[in-house]
Amino acid sequence: MVHLVSAIRVMPIDTLVHTVHQVVKTPPPIHGIKQDFSLEVSVLELLYVYMQSNTSQSLIESWASLLSLLKDGLSLTAPAQFLLLAILNEYVQKCPPMQEKKDIKDLQDVSAKLIESCSQIAGACLEQTTWLRRNLAVREDVFEVVEGSSEGKEGKNGAVTPGTPPNAAYSVQAQAVLAEILAPLLDVSYGSQEKERVVTLLTNLMYNVTPYLKNHTIKNIASFTACSQLLASLSGYQYTRKAWRKDVLDLLLDPAFFQMTPACLPYWRTIIDNLMTHDNTTFRDLMNRVSMAQGSGISIFSSKEQEYEQKAQLLKRLAFVILCSETDQYHKYMPEIQERLADSLRLPQVIPSIQAQVFLCFRVLLLRMSPQHATSLWPVIVSELVQVFLYIEQELSTDSEEFSSHIKLLSALDSSWAVNASNGLQAHGHPHWLQLQLAAAKLLDLALLLPAHRLPQFQMYKWAFVGDAAAGCTDNNNLSSDFVPHITRIAKLMDSKVSSREFKLRSRGTTNYLARVPSATIPRFSCFREKTASRIREYVETSAVIIIWLFRGFRYSGSGPGVGLPRLSEQCGHEFSNRNRSPDNRIIGLEWGSAIQKTTGND
C-alpha cells in the first residue's frame, strides 16, 4: 500500500494527512472484518511508514494538517496514540527546527499532551496505596489481565474483567514506546531556553514510572525492563537530571536493588554512570553515607547487626558505582576510597559480610584503576587474603565431628534465617563466613587471571599463594624452599581428608580428561576463553582445590552457588560417568566442573 501511494506523484503528502485525519475522525462503515481490527491504527501505520520514505521538504508543507491530526488524536485508543507519538517524532527528527514562535509553541503543546497521555497509559497498572498522601504501587493482579490479552482474550478496549483499568493491557507497550521515542523527541522539540518545561513534564512522568522500578517481582519483569530502558535514555541528557536524580538515588540504596534480570544491568550501568558523572557531589554523598554507617548508629533502636548489614550493602553499592565508571574515572578519590575500606576492616571484631564486600571493592578497583593508582591497595589486599587463607587452614586442621554436625544442622534450617546475621549463630560454619572465603577465592582468582601488565605489583606476591609456576612443577619448588604457598598447604590438608582411592580417581580423571582435549579446541569453549590447556592444568592444581571445598561448604549451608550445580558441572559428571561407568567418578566430575566453572569466572 505504501508503494502504491508513493507511486501517485501528483498527490502531495498534505492530502494524505488530511485524508487520514478524516478517516480517523469519522471512520467509514466496514463489513466483513475481524472484531479486533482497528481501522484508525491501520491508517496511522500507513501514514507513519509513508512519512519515513518522504523528504523533509514535503513534510514541512504538511505541518498544519499534521498538527490538526495530532490534536484530534488525543481521544483515540492507546495503540493509535502510540503511533501518533511516533509520527510526531518522525516529523521532528526529519525536519529542520521551526522558526515561527507560534509553530514552536504548537509543537511543544501537542508534544506535552501526547507524552502526558502515554504516561497515563504507562501507569495504568498502578493504584494508590494510601489516601493520606500521593503514593502509588503496582497492582500485580492486573498482570493476569495482560497475559490474557496476549492470548486474545481481551475485548476491543483491553478490558477483561470489571474493575480492571481500561488501558492495563497496553501499559508495557506504552513504556517501551516512551523508552524509544521520548528522549530524542524532547531534545529536539524544546530549545535550550525551554529546558525547564522538560523537567516539569518528566517529573510527572517519573511519578508513573518509579513504582515499576521499585517492584522486583517476577510478574513485573517486563515493566521493570521497559522503565529501566526509559530511564537510561533520559539520563543521557543532563538537563533532565532534576526530574530523576532523587528517585534513582533512592532506588540505588534500596535493599532489593540488585534483584533484576541480566538484561536490565546495561541500562542501570548507564543510569548510575550518568547519575555520578553529571554531578560532582553525588559520588561524594555516597562516600559520606559509607562513612556515616561506620560512625554512630542508624537510630537509637537499631542493633549492631543492622548497622553491619547496612555497611555491607553500602560497600556493595560503592563497588557497583565504580564498576559502572570508565577507567580511572575516580582515581582522584582513591585515598578516600581506601580510607573507607580500611575503616571497614578496623572493626572491633571480624564481620564476614563486611569483609566480603571489601574484597568485592578490591576486585572492582583492580578492574577500573590503572596499576599506578592501585599500588597502595596491595599491602592491604595481601594481608587480608593471607588472614582468610590461614583461617581456612585452621578450619581444615581442626575439622571434627562437632563441626560437621554443626554444618548439617545449618543445612536443616530455613535458609533465610540461617544467613541472617542477627540469628545468634556466630560459629565459623555460618554462611557469612563461607561467603567471605568465596570472596577471597574470587579476588585471588581475578588477580591470577589478569595479565601481568595489568597487575605488575601482584607478581611480587603471587609466589606466596600459588608458588612460582614459571620455574616448573610446584612440588619441586616446594622441596627447595622452606615456605609452602597457601593454596598448596590448603590442597594438602584437603587431600589428607579424603581417601587415597578417591584422590587417585580425581587426579587420574582430571589429568586424563584434559589430556584427551586438544589444546587447539579448548579456546572454543566459553568457559575456557583466554586460557590455554597448560594454564588450566596449572590452575586445577592450585585454586581449583579451594573452590571445590568452598562449594562443599555452600551445599551444606543450603545457600550460595552450590545449590543447583551449574550446567558445566553436570556435563563433567556425565563425561566422567560415561568414560569410567562409576558413580564415584560422576561425583568427582561434578566437583571438578564446579571448580572450573568458578575459576573461569562463569558464576
Side-chain angles (χ1 to χ4, degrees):
M1 178 64 73
V2 174
H3 294 292
L4 180 61
V5 175
S6 301
I8 308 176
R9 301 185 181 276
V10 296
M11 184 180 69
I13 188 175
D14 182 71
T15 304
L16 177 61
V17 174
H18 182 73
T19 304
V20 171
H21 186 194
Q22 293 299 323
V23 173
V24 171
K25 190 174 182 179
T26 56
I30 301 178
H31 305 283
I33 61 174
K34 296 182 179 180
Q35 184 179 3
D36 58 349
F37 175 78
S38 177
L39 179 62
E40 57 191 25
V41 172
S42 299
V43 295
L44 289 175
E45 285 180 349
L46 171 64
L47 176 60
Y48 174 65
V49 177
Y50 183 75
M51 289 178 63
Q52 291 178 330
S53 61
N54 269 260
T55 61
S56 59
Q57 184 61 34
S58 60
L59 292 178
I60 294 175
E61 298 173 356
S62 64
W63 168 242
S65 301
L66 184 60
L67 179 62
S68 178
L69 171 63
L70 295 174
K71 288 182 177 180
D72 292 342
L74 295 173
S75 59
L76 299 178
T77 60
Q81 294 189 39
F82 302 155
L83 284 169
L84 289 175
L85 190 64
I87 290 172
L88 177 61
N89 181 65
E90 185 69 22
Y91 178 88
V92 168
Q93 300 299 330
K94 273 197 169 185
C95 298
M98 297 180 177
Q99 302 299 328
E100 297 292 334
K101 291 185 178 181
K102 181 179 181 302
D103 293 339
I104 296 175
K105 184 178 183 302
D106 291 338
L107 173 63
Q108 294 176 355
D109 290 342
V110 73
S111 299
K113 290 179 180 179
L114 277 175
I115 293 171
E116 182 65 25
S117 179
C118 291
S119 173
Q120 294 297 327
I121 299 173
C125 294
L126 302 178
E127 64 177 352
Q128 190 166 349
T129 56
T130 59
W131 61 273
L132 292 176
R133 60 178 180 175
R134 195 181 181 190
N135 189 18
L136 296 180
V138 180
R139 289 183 55 181
E140 296 189 2
D141 59 318
V142 179
F143 291 110
E144 300 178 359
V145 176
V146 178
E147 294 175 359
S149 65
S150 63
E151 298 174 0
K153 299 178 182 178
E154 63 171 338
K156 184 176 180 180
N157 295 327
V160 179
T161 57
T164 301
N167 290 321
Y170 303 109
S171 176
V172 178
Q173 187 177 355
Q175 297 158 10
V177 170
L178 290 173
E180 293 288 341
I181 295 176
L182 181 59
L185 175 62
L186 291 177
D187 188 52
V188 179
S189 300
Y190 292 84
S192 58
Q193 304 298 328
E194 295 93 5
K195 297 303 183 184
E196 289 298 328
R197 296 183 59 186
V198 175
V199 175
T200 304
L201 186 63
L202 292 180
T203 302
N204 297 329
L205 174 68
M206 291 300 298
Y207 176 70
N208 291 321
V209 170
T210 305
Y212 292 105
L213 297 175
K214 292 181 179 179
N215 189 296
H216 295 265
T217 59
I218 297 178
K219 293 182 178 180
N220 191 51
I221 287 178
S223 293
F224 186 90
T225 304
C227 292
S228 299
Q229 182 183 0
L230 170 60
L231 190 54
S233 62
L234 291 175
S235 65
Y237 299 90
Q238 188 172 3
Y239 59 86
T240 66
R241 179 181 178 83
K242 293 181 181 179
W244 52 265
R245 178 188 179 277
K246 182 180 181 300
D247 292 330
V248 170
L249 192 58
D250 293 340
L251 291 171
L252 176 63
L253 300 176
D254 186 7
F257 172 74
F258 291 103
Q259 297 178 10
M260 65 180 73
T261 59
C264 297
L265 286 176
Y267 300 135
W268 279 99
R269 179 176 179 177
T270 302
I271 295 169
I272 298 302
D273 185 28
N274 292 329
L275 173 67
M276 299 296 171
T277 304
H278 292 168
D279 187 2
N280 296 329
T281 62
T282 308
F283 183 77
R284 191 170 294 278
D285 291 342
L286 180 62
M287 295 287 293
N288 293 335
R289 287 176 181 267
V290 176
S291 178
M292 289 174 59
Q294 177 64 29
S296 58
I298 305 172
S299 66
I300 59 176
F301 302 104
S302 62
S303 61
K304 282 292 183 182
E305 287 76 12
Q306 291 175 330
E307 294 181 26
Y308 294 151
E309 181 63 25
Q310 186 195 42
K311 178 74 172 180
Q313 293 298 323
L314 288 173
L315 288 173
K316 186 175 183 179
R317 279 144 184 80
L318 176 62
F320 183 70
V321 168
I322 299 175
L323 182 65
C324 295
S325 65
E326 300 294 333
T327 303
D328 290 337
Q329 180 174 333
Y330 297 112
H331 73 90
K332 62 181 180 180
Y333 295 100
M334 275 300 294
E336 297 182 35
I337 295 174
Q338 187 172 354
E339 182 181 357
R340 300 295 187 274
L341 298 180
D343 292 340
S344 302
L345 296 173
R346 285 198 294 261
L347 295 175
Q349 58 181 345
V350 178
I351 308 300
S353 59
I354 293 180
Q355 194 167 357
Q357 300 306 326
V358 172
F359 284 163
L360 175 62
C361 291
F362 285 151
R363 290 166 57 197
V364 172
L365 290 173
L366 294 181
L367 292 173
R368 285 292 176 263
M369 296 296 169
S370 300
Q372 63 270 20
H373 296 137
T375 303
S376 58
L377 292 175
W378 283 109
V380 182
I381 293 177
V382 173
S383 62
E384 294 300 325
L385 283 178
V386 169
Q387 292 296 326
V388 174
F389 290 141
L390 289 176
Y391 157 73
I392 295 176
E393 292 182 43
Q394 180 183 0
E395 287 298 309
L396 288 173
S397 302
T398 60
D399 191 4
S400 60
E401 292 296 332
E402 181 181 358
F403 177 76
S404 300
S405 62
H406 175 75
I407 295 295
K408 293 179 180 179
L409 176 62
L410 283 177
S411 64
L413 299 176
D414 180 55
S415 59
S416 61
W417 181 84
V419 299
N420 189 358
S422 60
N423 56 17
L425 296 176
Q426 299 300 330
H428 287 174
H430 193 282
H432 282 176
W433 286 95
L434 299 177
Q435 292 172 5
L436 171 59
Q437 297 162 26
L438 183 61
K442 286 183 176 181
L443 178 57
L444 178 60
D445 176 67
L446 177 66
L448 293 172
L449 286 177
L450 291 178
H453 71 274
R454 289 286 304 274
L455 302 179
Q457 297 88 355
F458 176 70
Q459 309 311 312
M460 298 185 296
Y461 307 105
K462 181 178 178 180
W463 62 272
F465 298 102
V466 296
D468 189 6
C473 179
T474 307
D475 294 336
N476 294 335
N477 293 337
N478 296 337
L479 293 176
S480 60
S481 175
D482 294 334
F483 177 79
V484 180
H486 290 281
I487 301 300
T488 304
R489 300 207 301 259
I490 293 175
K492 290 182 178 180
L493 288 173
M494 292 180 61
D495 294 341
S496 64
K497 292 185 176 298
V498 296
S499 62
S500 58
R501 177 177 177 274
E502 182 182 359
F503 175 72
K504 290 179 180 179
L505 287 173
R506 180 184 289 112
S507 302
R508 184 171 66 251
T510 303
T511 305
N512 293 341
Y513 184 80
L514 289 175
R516 294 189 186 101
V517 180
S519 300
T521 62
I522 288 181
R524 298 179 185 176
F525 298 94
S526 60
C527 59
F528 294 149
R529 186 169 54 249
E530 299 179 0
K531 288 189 176 72
T532 60
S534 60
R535 192 172 183 183
I536 295 175
R537 294 189 184 97
E538 171 192 346
Y539 220 69
V540 169
E541 295 176 357
T542 54
S543 58
V545 182
I546 182 176
I547 300 294
I548 292 175
W549 183 77
L550 291 171
F551 261 78
R552 287 177 175 174
F554 271 85
R555 286 203 298 272
Y556 287 144
S557 64
S559 63
V563 179
L565 290 174
R567 182 180 179 185
L568 177 62
S569 306
E570 293 290 344
Q571 293 176 350
C572 292
H574 181 70
E575 177 71 17
F576 274 74
S577 179
N578 288 344
R579 291 182 182 274
N580 299 288
R581 303 296 180 184
S582 171
D584 293 336
N585 288 333
R586 174 173 174 79
I587 296 176
I588 296 170
L590 290 173
E591 293 182 341
W592 182 81
S594 300
I596 296 299
Q597 180 91 1
K598 298 304 296 182
T599 55
T600 51
N602 293 336
D603 55 350

